[in-house]
Amino acid sequence: MMVEERREKMREKQRNAMNGLKPIAATKDWKLLYFQHGRPGLEEGRPHKGLCKYCEIQDICSIVKPKTGIWRCEYYQAKVRKKTSLYENVIKQLEKAEEVVHFDKDICEILTGTMNELVVHFPVKMENGKIRMLTGYRVQHNNALGPFKGGLRFHPMVDIEEIRALATLMTWKTALVKIPFGGAKGGIQLDPADFTPEELERITRRFTYALGNNIGPEYDIPAPDVNTNPQIMAWMLDTFMSTMTPTERNRCIHVVTGKPLEAGGSQGRNKATGQGIVFLIEKWARDHGLNLKGASYIVQGFGNVGSWAARLMKQHGARLIAVEDVSGAIYKKEGIDPDDLAEYVKEHRGAVLGYPQVDSINHERFFSTKADIFIPAALENQITADTAEILNVRLVAEGANGPTEPEGDKALQRRNIDVIPDILCNAGGVIVSYFEWLQNKRSEFWEEEEIDQKLKKIIISAYERVRAAAEKHKVDMRTAAQIVAISRLEMVYKERGIFP
Ligand code: NAD
């Protein structure tokens, strides 16, 4: 049976099954998400039949996580992943830039592959005394410009292909903003909600130990990404240091960045990605005659990147009118206070749904909300051919890595929606990571003001380079960013040659 036929059959089944069903108000946060389906209520932690807001197919299993209250739809995620591979998208973007400037074929050959790919399976003792085997990845894409650099992600959908794509994007990003790093990425396939903080600490330490000398302060430097944070970086650092000889220990504090301040972190690192996004939005707004005071914006993902971008937009007087995260989406025409929402999210297991005095809206309504700016700051492949058609904004400022599929990109261009592409827009994080790395190497401590100034200078000059390339080659900003980044790598390879 064809996929579309099967989907229609399921929808039909859903329509029939929905007749006469009432929403369950089983938990205060999640009412309306699930519909009673022949059971007295939600079965905590077990596969549960119910209407999923994403796939909207009645009898596909959704899972409620009682510890976090966060639910997810395995079917939807599998569907999205199957439909488009981030790695294929990354390569397609490279090919698009290649068509315009005809990079050296040999250099493209080097850059379309990765240098090292490490998969480690490691045992971790759980609270109940049982051992669980976990799988972690570290992909080192390229180090022509400096040590490998890139985040570490904890997510159930992490796999080698996703990490490969994200590592490749890191190489483009560091080349584009001209910092002396290459590109890498890591991840562990897990849902943090399944583990206690003590288990997460053991997982992090065991993974770091398994990586061994495949990371290092002058070789490969991890940082936080989705579901990882300064605490996890501190555990990585401590584990790495503990494997060194006593005389070496204090020479490797820069093996990770994004550490807590007291553990060798930098001022301004936590907000850095959001800060970089807002510097760029400010610049774009000035160039396009948009007054940010009173301008409206919507944000997808309210974690590190999304919440900081939202809070910094507030300082310009902009109005946050809709937010979507993994728990659902909320809307308020008059505006949502991002500082207050950030406090709420901290106290409510990271979820925006349930925030008082706002409307709860669905995925489609979130995407069609009329606003000036959209900041995607969640996962990849969110702006698809379908969602790009309903977006009602002037600018997409890509906080997330790979949020736009190639078909979505085409639709944005056709609809004259401007894009500040991911490798430029979210580079603030790696730029301030570079500052942290430098401070650690020199035993210096820079003030936040100094960091913000330096960040602004680097990211705005990268924006100017991209805009100049876009005008010169008459291409969109994403292709232009790609051209600038690859041209730099190409030049370095040509100057140095290939050993032997
Ligand atoms: P995070 O874990 O702090 O936050 C992720 C957010 O995305 C959460 O609010 C979560 O609820 C939401 N989310 C997850 N799945 C979702 C879904 N299916 N629909 C809607 N929302 C969903 O992660 P982060 O560090 O803020 O990273 C977000 C994005 O920014 C990622 O693409 C990451 O690679 C990218 N990025 C992060 C940094 C950084 O410094 N942390 C730097 C550059 C780029």
Side-chain angles (χ1 to χ4, degrees):
M1 199 187 308
M2 299 295 289
V3 177
E4 205 29 66
E5 265 177 64
R6 200 176 311 140
R7 211 172 281 161
E8 189 41 52
K9 246 192 143 154
M10 283 172 165
R11 286 199 195 108
E12 179 61 34
K13 211 169 160 188
Q14 171 196 339
R15 280 192 290 272
N16 295 338
M18 289 297 298
N19 281 338
L21 291 181
K22 290 203 176 77
I24 296 174
T27 71
K28 64 176 174 8
D29 290 350
W30 311 108
K31 66 184 175 189
L32 297 182
L33 285 181
Y34 291 90
F35 286 78
Q36 193 159 346
H37 198 63
R39 298 192 197 191
L42 295 178
E43 268 187 64
E44 290 189 336
R46 297 251 195 91
H48 177 78
K49 290 186 174 185
L51 180 72
C52 161
K53 75 172 178 143
Y54 282 107
C55 69
E56 294 184 343
I57 291 171
Q58 174 73 21
D59 54 359
I60 295 297
C61 128
S62 299
I63 296 175
V64 175
K65 306 290 300 177
K67 252 192 271 171
T68 57
I70 289 175
W71 65 277
R72 60 175 187 258
C73 169
E74 306 286 357
Y75 172 79
Y76 171 75
Q77 299 204 1
K79 190 176 75 167
V80 169
R81 299 295 292 234
K82 254 199 175 153
K83 213 169 73 182
T84 105
S85 137
L86 182 60
Y87 189 66
E88 275 171 28
N89 294 350
V90 168
I91 299 303
K92 271 187 202 154
Q93 282 161 16
L94 173 64
E95 286 167 356
K96 193 170 166 197
E98 215 279 318
E99 275 170 25
V100 181
V101 284
H102 309 295
F103 300 121
D104 185 301
K105 289 264 176 291
D106 290 337
I107 287 158
C108 279
E109 177 77 16
I110 296 171
L111 295 175
T112 46
T114 57
M115 290 180 74
N116 306 307
E117 300 191 349
L118 191 67
V119 182
V120 291
H121 305 286
F122 53 98
V124 182
K125 202 178 236 176
M126 297 291 113
E127 294 292 282
N128 61 8
K130 293 215 164 82
I131 298 292
R132 187 152 162 194
M133 287 301 289
L134 288 154
T135 302
Y137 307 90
R138 187 76 188 167
V139 173
Q140 296 163 337
H141 173 256
N142 189 281
N143 65 351
L145 299 175
F148 298 110
K149 182 87 189 85
L152 174 70
R153 177 175 287 202
F154 286 179
H155 197 274
M157 302 306 290
V158 159
D159 60 23
I160 190 73
E161 204 174 291
E162 177 186 68
I163 299 298
R164 194 177 285 147
L166 293 166
T168 311
L169 286 175
M170 282 306 294
T171 302
W172 307 159
K173 199 181 299 183
T174 51
L176 172 64
V177 296
K178 288 194 173 176
I179 54 173
F181 286 133
K185 201 84 178 187
I188 307 181
Q189 193 183 68
L190 60 80
D191 185 343
D194 290 341
F195 301 94
T196 64
E198 292 73 23
E199 287 169 343
L200 281 177
E201 176 175 353
R202 285 202 288 277
I203 291 167
T204 305
R205 287 184 182 278
R206 191 60 213 230
F207 177 60
T208 310
Y209 183 76
L211 290 178
N213 283 338
N214 291 294
I215 57 169
E218 304 292 334
Y219 181 62
D220 182 0
I221 305 126
D225 192 71
V226 172
N227 289 327
T228 57
N229 54 33
Q231 175 61 78
I232 290 188
M233 294 304 114
W235 290 331
M236 286 192 86
L237 168 63
D238 186 64
T239 310
F240 189 83
M241 282 171 95
S242 304
T243 62
M244 299 283 123
T245 61
T247 50
E248 289 295 316
R249 267 175 212 161
N250 284 311
R251 290 202 205 139
C252 58
I253 200 142
H254 49 307
V255 62
V256 286
T257 56
K259 301 179 285 288
L261 263 186
E262 297 307 321
S266 171
Q267 294 285 356
R269 173 59 184 92
N270 226 4
K271 66 163 188 171
T273 310
Q275 182 67 78
I277 295 170
V278 175
F279 282 148
L280 291 168
I281 291 178
E282 237 184 299
K283 171 81 180 135
W284 178 90
R286 225 175 303 123
D287 292 351
H288 290 80
L290 174 72
N291 187 353
L292 282 186
K293 197 167 174 10
S296 53
Y297 64 107
I298 62 174
V299 177
Q300 188 195 42
F302 209 72
N304 174 286
V305 177
S307 73
W308 272 110
R311 280 180 273 179
L312 295 162
M313 285 292 281
K314 176 185 161 186
Q315 293 176 7
H316 290 278
R319 189 164 40 99
L320 173 65
I321 55 174
V323 181
E324 182 183 60
D325 75 356
V326 73
S327 67
I330 57 174
Y331 170 82
K332 188 174 183 181
K333 192 174 162 208
E334 299 74 31
I336 300 164
D337 181 349
D339 289 306
D340 194 54
L341 181 62
E343 281 304 309
Y344 176 89
V345 161
K346 224 189 275 169
E347 287 160 17
H348 292 79
R349 308 168 306 249
V352 299
L353 206 66
Y355 184 67
Q357 292 168 3
V358 293
D359 295 334
S360 154
I361 54 173
N362 67 18
H363 189 56
E364 203 172 34
R365 259 202 69 202
F366 170 79
F367 264 90
S368 54
T369 302
K370 184 171 167 44
D372 294 303
I373 299 157
F374 172 37
I375 306 173
L379 298 178
E380 51 265 24
N381 297 339
Q382 297 298 308
I383 304 177
T384 60
D386 296 339
T387 54
E389 287 300 342
I390 57 173
L391 265 180
N392 204 348
V393 296
R394 289 176 65 183
L395 171 69
V396 174
E398 293 183 342
N401 283 310
T404 309
E405 292 179 359
E407 290 306 312
D409 221 13
K410 277 188 203 154
L412 294 180
Q413 276 174 46
R414 183 173 37 76
R415 298 186 60 225
N416 286 326
I417 297 176
D418 278 3
V419 175
I420 306 179
D422 52 1
I423 58 170
L424 169 63
C425 197
N426 67 37
V430 74
I431 294 170
V432 179
S433 273
Y434 167 52
F435 299 159
E436 180 176 329
W437 186 75
L438 277 183
Q439 289 171 81
N440 291 161
K441 272 163 82 88
R442 302 173 182 170
S443 299
E444 287 178 3
F445 301 93
W446 303 354
E447 298 295 331
E448 187 168 339
E449 205 184 348
E450 185 185 352
I451 287 179
D452 283 353
Q453 270 173 13
K454 287 185 152 102
L455 165 62
K456 188 169 185 175
K457 198 167 161 208
I458 293 182
I459 209 158
I460 297 297
S461 70
Y463 178 89
E464 301 286 15
R465 284 197 294 281
V466 173
R467 214 179 41 180
E471 278 163 20
K472 180 175 168 199
H473 297 288
K474 299 193 174 29
V475 291
D476 58 286
M477 288 287 276
R478 191 185 312 283
T479 308
Q482 195 82 51
I483 289 173
V484 176
I486 309 292
S487 303
R488 181 157 176 241
L489 286 155
E490 183 182 38
M491 196 190 304
V492 170
Y493 271 109
K494 281 192 173 159
E495 281 170 359
R496 289 190 194 157
I498 306 284
F499 174 82

